[in-house]
Amino acid sequence: MSKVIIIGAGGVGNVVAQKCAQLTDIFTEIVLASRTVSKCDAIAADVLAKTGVTIRTAAIDADNVAETTTFLQAEKPELLINVALPYQDLTLMDACLAAGVHYMDTANYEPLDEAKFEYKWQWAYQDRFKEAGLTALLGSGFDPGVTNVFCAYAQKHLFDEIETIDILDANAGDHGYHFATNFNPEINIREITANGRYWEEGEWKEVEPMSVHQVYDFPVVGEQDAYLLYHEEMESLCQNIKGLKRIRFWMTFSQKYLTHLRVLENVGMTSIEPIDFQGQQIKPIEFLKAVLPDPASLGPRTKGKTCIGCDIVGIKDGQKKRVFIYNTCDHQECYQEVSSQAISYTTGVPAMIGAQMILKGLWQEPGVWNMEQRDPDPFMEELNLRGLPWQVIDLPLES
Ligand code: NDP
């Protein structure tokens, strides 16, 4: 019935391919294409071993619009799932428009040389997707992605008015390395070393990187050190959640991780400015990526759980209340199912669900959409069925 092309054969691409292959009545044909075709082939072999489903593979340079357009015109998929890097978002949106294919991704566009991610570039495609009768769904991972859907669900069912949202992302897993990032190191480190930012009373407020901290008592994983960061879902949520007064994002880090990061930063290893090294221009952060463990290799070693959720305060029936909507995920269980740790799993499963929403026509509407702009209910139902069950708990109001 529906053919999909997955672009990107990293940790997330693997999970998307595995999960799509578990639902062959919806994803009747799957093609996995990426820059390094051998990585696609390795995933395809594992998918075949785990599910008995054959997926085709192809080499593609997603930075090249003409090449990608020709590829899409030949393959004629209904939907392109972009799980390459944020740098490829715009070229892949261009190719989808040229070839008449719906588009979906998990991270917003970031210019390669600016370390700055914003939705403005992708929102600028609104009219073009509308006119072409095509749907573009932005940020269908966990955060952004599920966190946006949690907020939309809270707005629809749990509150008459939402006042504050704190998104909390805890990874209490341990991979046994001194230092490694759970997803693409370049993207991860760029995110953490940037200034923190949150939105309050209609304004963005900026703080020094990792300077605002709280100890948060999470369900299942317990008390964790959480640090205020800027995260992209806040940019759309502050516009789409009615009456919102404040939104912040927090991520947990161990002291060991922060010490390593501080040293790497102090010696210049996290810089994106090219330096001359033995007659060659290299970016220190790209070199760092080359020496750090490949996130895809962490799967078998990582033990423990993640807990990601939204702590929301608002008014229901005239009463103030506070809830936490969350999912917890076990690294080893993910590995058993799809050969990946929970970080890629919690991104890849929502990507597969977002794709389903488009292919089933439930979230198909010409234009460019953030997740909270769609009906949360069918997505929330699928989360429970596809490996990311969620809970809602009431929390005491803070004095
Ligand atoms: P990886 O670095 O593991 O994988 C990226 C893949 O994209 C690699 O296979 C890479 O190819 C491929 N790629 C890069 N450039 C190109 C190109 N020009 N043409 C074709 N293929 C290309 O990343 P992850 O799997 O960890 O992450 C994938 C995406 O998911 C990222 O955009 C990330 O930001 C996002 N993400 C979103 C999260 C969320 O919750 N919303 C959480 C985690 C990640 P090669 O193998 O040759 O390098």
Side-chain angles (χ1 to χ4, degrees), residues 7-13 34-36 39 60-63 83-86 88 106-107 141-144 183-184 187 289 347:
I7 306 273
V12 179
S34 191
R35 186 167 51 190
T36 313
K39 291 193 187 174
I60 190 83
D61 176 7
D63 291 324
V83 281
L85 296 178
Q88 278 79 52
T106 64
F142 205 105
D143 43 344
F183 63 97
N184 187 290
I187 307 287
K289 180 183 174 200
T347 310

Side-chain angles (χ1 to χ4, degrees), residues 131-142:
E131 281 155 21
L134 293 170
T135 302
L137 181 62
L138 307 184
S140 190
F142 205 105

Side-chain angles (χ1 to χ4, degrees), residues 7-14 33-40 43 59-64 68 82-89 91-92 105-108 110 139-147 169 182-188 191 231-233 289 294-296 308 341 343-344 346-348 350:
I7 306 273
V12 179
N14 168 55
S34 191
R35 186 167 51 190
T36 313
V37 75
S38 58
K39 291 193 187 174
C40 303
I43 292 173
I60 190 83
D61 176 7
D63 291 324
N64 184 327
T68 311
N82 169 16
V83 281
L85 296 178
Y87 316 126
Q88 278 79 52
D89 287 2
T91 47
L92 288 173
D105 65 31
T106 64
N108 71 9
E110 182 171 348
S140 190
F142 205 105
D143 43 344
V146 175
T147 49
D169 179 333
N182 289 299
F183 63 97
N184 187 290
E186 212 183 319
I187 307 287
N188 192 200
E191 185 172 83
H231 222 244
E232 62 197 56
E233 63 264 53
K289 180 183 174 200
D294 179 355
I308 316 175
Q341 29 78 354
I343 306 301
S344 302
T346 53
T347 310

Side-chain angles (χ1 to χ4, degrees), residues 261-303:
L261 186 65
R262 206 167 297 128
V263 172
L264 290 168
E265 236 189 316
N266 287 345
V267 298
M269 281 306 296
T270 60
S271 170
I272 62 167
E273 292 304 321
I275 56 153
D276 189 62
F277 179 71
Q278 296 180 346
Q280 213 185 324
Q281 290 280 303
I282 59 164
K283 291 182 184 172
I285 197 165
E286 283 179 1
F287 181 74
L288 177 62
K289 180 183 174 200
V291 295
L292 286 177
D294 179 355
S297 72
L298 301 178
R301 311 171 52 108
T302 309
K303 297 188 171 61

Side-chain angles (χ1 to χ4, degrees), residues 100-290:
V101 174
H102 298 302
Y103 170 87
M104 206 203 82
D105 65 31
T106 64
N108 71 9
Y109 176 67
E110 182 171 348
L112 196 52
D113 302 320
E114 277 189 48
K116 187 173 185 201
F117 45 92
E118 275 181 60
Y119 277 117
K120 69 174 181 207
W121 292 284
Q122 291 182 274
W123 286 342
Y125 280 69
Q126 177 69 272
D127 290 345
R128 291 165 66 195
F129 269 83
K130 254 191 191 142
E131 281 155 21
L134 293 170
T135 302
L137 181 62
L138 307 184
S140 190
F142 205 105
D143 43 344
V146 175
T147 49
N148 303 56
V149 177
F150 283 170
C151 293
Y153 178 84
Q155 179 167 256
K156 184 171 175 184
H157 297 289
L158 307 179
F159 293 94
D160 298 321
E161 197 173 326
I162 290 178
E163 292 177 350
T164 63
I165 299 172
D166 283 287
I167 300 169
L168 292 121
D169 179 333
N171 178 11
D174 185 6
H175 44 58
Y177 285 117
H178 287 296
F179 184 82
T181 61
N182 289 299
F183 63 97
N184 187 290
E186 212 183 319
I187 307 287
N188 192 200
I189 291 172
R190 281 168 73 153
E191 185 172 83
I192 299 165
T193 53
N195 273 350
R197 233 180 331 147
Y198 65 100
W199 184 90
E200 191 169 36
E201 304 290 358
E203 276 178 25
W204 288 103
K205 306 203 166 153
E206 203 156 283
V207 298
E208 292 287 308
M210 314 300 268
S211 61
V212 181
H213 161 259
Q214 66 166 316
V215 176
Y216 192 88
D217 191 7
F218 287 85
V220 184
V221 300
E223 288 193 348
Q224 304 282 329
D225 285 314
Y227 294 82
L228 189 146
L229 296 184
Y230 177 68
H231 222 244
E232 62 197 56
E233 63 264 53
M234 293 192 288
E235 189 185 356
S236 65
L237 285 167
C238 74
Q239 297 190 13
N240 293 324
I241 301 297
K242 293 183 288 289
L244 188 66
K245 294 189 174 68
R246 187 188 69 204
I247 182 164
R248 302 180 296 190
F249 181 94
W250 308 80
M251 193 175 275
T252 67
F253 297 98
S254 67
Q255 291 310 315
K256 189 168 98 174
Y257 183 97
L258 293 178
T259 305
H260 278 80
L261 186 65
R262 206 167 297 128
V263 172
L264 290 168
E265 236 189 316
N266 287 345
V267 298
M269 281 306 296
T270 60
S271 170
I272 62 167
E273 292 304 321
I275 56 153
D276 189 62
F277 179 71
Q278 296 180 346
Q280 213 185 324
Q281 290 280 303
I282 59 164
K283 291 182 184 172
I285 197 165
E286 283 179 1
F287 181 74
L288 177 62
K289 180 183 174 200

